[in-house]
Amino acid sequence: MKDHKLKILCISTLSLAALLFSLGSRAAEQVKIPENHCAPRTDSKRYVDTHFSTSYPRTVVFECTYDCRVNGRLVDVVGTKYVTVRNMQEDATDTGCQGVKVKKVSWGWDFDGVEPFYAYQTAMPEVKRFAFENISQKNATETKLLTELKSNLQQVTDAYKKVGWGQFKDASDVMDKIIAQLPGNTTLLDKYIKQIVDKGGDVSLDGTGLSLVLVNLKSSAAWRIPSHLF
């Protein structure tokens, strides 16, 4: 009986989400999409691989169509998301098209609008590929993100300098050089990002300063990493 009720509740939740996202598609059409940004067509979501009858946690794979503005025109890009959900709340909040906002209401979750996102700031391989192949990284959004990265790396390297020895000193020495170039010059940043790519994104701490640098960049500079290549 418990499983039966859960199944009915899941179906109801999915039906409500489908209705809300369909109704929200008109709102999406009215959203102003900035240059080099994408916004989802909220009625385009299509499940690719998921099993609603299985218990949590479960993997959900779905596609959405995105309108991406490049050089003043909109281009359609289909992106695939792979999400692991562990409970019903994550089912409601984590399985929407990127850029779709939801809000908590008395009966569950409701559509709360669409927020365009910078095309590079995604984990969807198709959208990531589109960004790297079609959008110049010489733009205002990129400069803003690089400035924020500089500040974030400075905080990390200041902490490493307080330790002042071994791998922490080695890492802070490298990061100081990267920081000194940002935001105008990304030569060193790109050099270390290439090492992340060469490793297929598989970087982990191994007691060296280099591993500290790569782990930090994989997290804080994720938008600049062409993750669609691995």
Side-chain angles (χ1 to χ4, degrees):
M1 178 63 72
K2 183 178 180 180
D3 291 340
H4 179 65
K5 289 182 178 179
L6 178 60
K7 184 175 181 181
I8 291 175
L9 185 56
C10 288
I11 292 173
S12 299
T13 301
L14 291 167
S15 298
L16 176 60
L19 173 60
L20 291 170
F21 288 169
S22 179
L23 292 174
S25 64
R26 292 184 179 180
E29 292 171 0
Q30 297 171 7
V31 170
K32 182 177 180 180
I33 304 175
E35 186 71 13
N36 305 322
H37 285 60
C38 302
R41 295 181 185 175
T42 53
D43 59 349
S44 67
K45 179 178 174 181
R46 184 179 73 85
Y47 286 99
V48 177
D49 183 21
T50 189
H51 301 282
F52 297 111
S53 60
T54 60
S55 59
Y56 296 113
R58 63 169 173 262
T59 300
V60 181
V61 184
F62 58 94
E63 295 178 342
C64 296
T65 299
Y66 297 85
D67 289 327
C68 299
R69 185 176 296 279
V70 182
N71 298 322
R73 65 188 183 90
L74 291 178
V75 180
D76 295 349
V77 182
V78 176
T80 307
K81 286 185 70 175
Y82 301 80
V83 180
T84 298
V85 292
R86 298 170 179 80
N87 51 57
M88 291 194 67
Q89 177 172 325
E90 290 182 357
D91 239 334
T93 59
D94 296 353
T95 61
C97 305
Q98 183 171 346
V100 168
K101 299 186 296 180
V102 296
K103 60 184 177 182
K104 189 75 170 66
V105 293
S106 59
W107 62 83
W109 298 87
D110 199 356
F111 177 80
D112 193 33
V114 170
E115 184 174 33
F117 59 92
Y118 184 45
Y120 282 97
Q121 289 185 303
T122 185
M124 292 180 290
E126 302 93 340
V127 180
K128 196 82 162 181
R129 180 181 299 106
F130 174 82
F132 273 92
E133 292 179 354
N134 296 277
I135 298 176
S136 168
Q137 290 181 316
K138 301 294 184 181
N139 64 71
T141 302
E142 192 74 20
T143 299
K144 178 177 180 292
L145 290 173
L146 288 171
T147 301
E148 292 173 356
L149 174 64
K150 180 171 184 168
S151 176
N152 292 337
L153 292 182
Q154 188 64 63
Q155 293 180 45
V156 174
T157 194
D158 286 347
Y160 288 172
K161 286 177 181 178
K162 290 180 180 179
V163 179
W165 53 267
Q167 60 180 314
F168 299 101
K169 182 181 185 306
D170 293 342
S172 64
D173 288 344
V174 171
M175 291 167 67
D176 272 341
K177 294 176 182 177
I178 295 175
I179 290 167
Q181 291 188 339
L182 298 177
N185 186 336
T186 62
T187 301
L188 275 178
L189 173 63
D190 294 338
K191 171 186 174 182
Y192 288 99
I193 283 179
K194 184 178 184 303
Q195 293 191 41
I196 295 175
V197 176
D198 290 343
K199 293 176 177 289
D202 185 17
V203 297
S204 57
L205 297 176
D206 61 8
T208 65
L210 176 60
S211 70
L212 280 172
V213 172
L214 297 185
V215 167
N216 273 287
L217 292 181
K218 184 179 179 182
S219 173
S220 57
W223 88 92
R224 281 191 75 93
I225 300 173
S227 54
H228 60 287
L229 297 179
F230 51 81

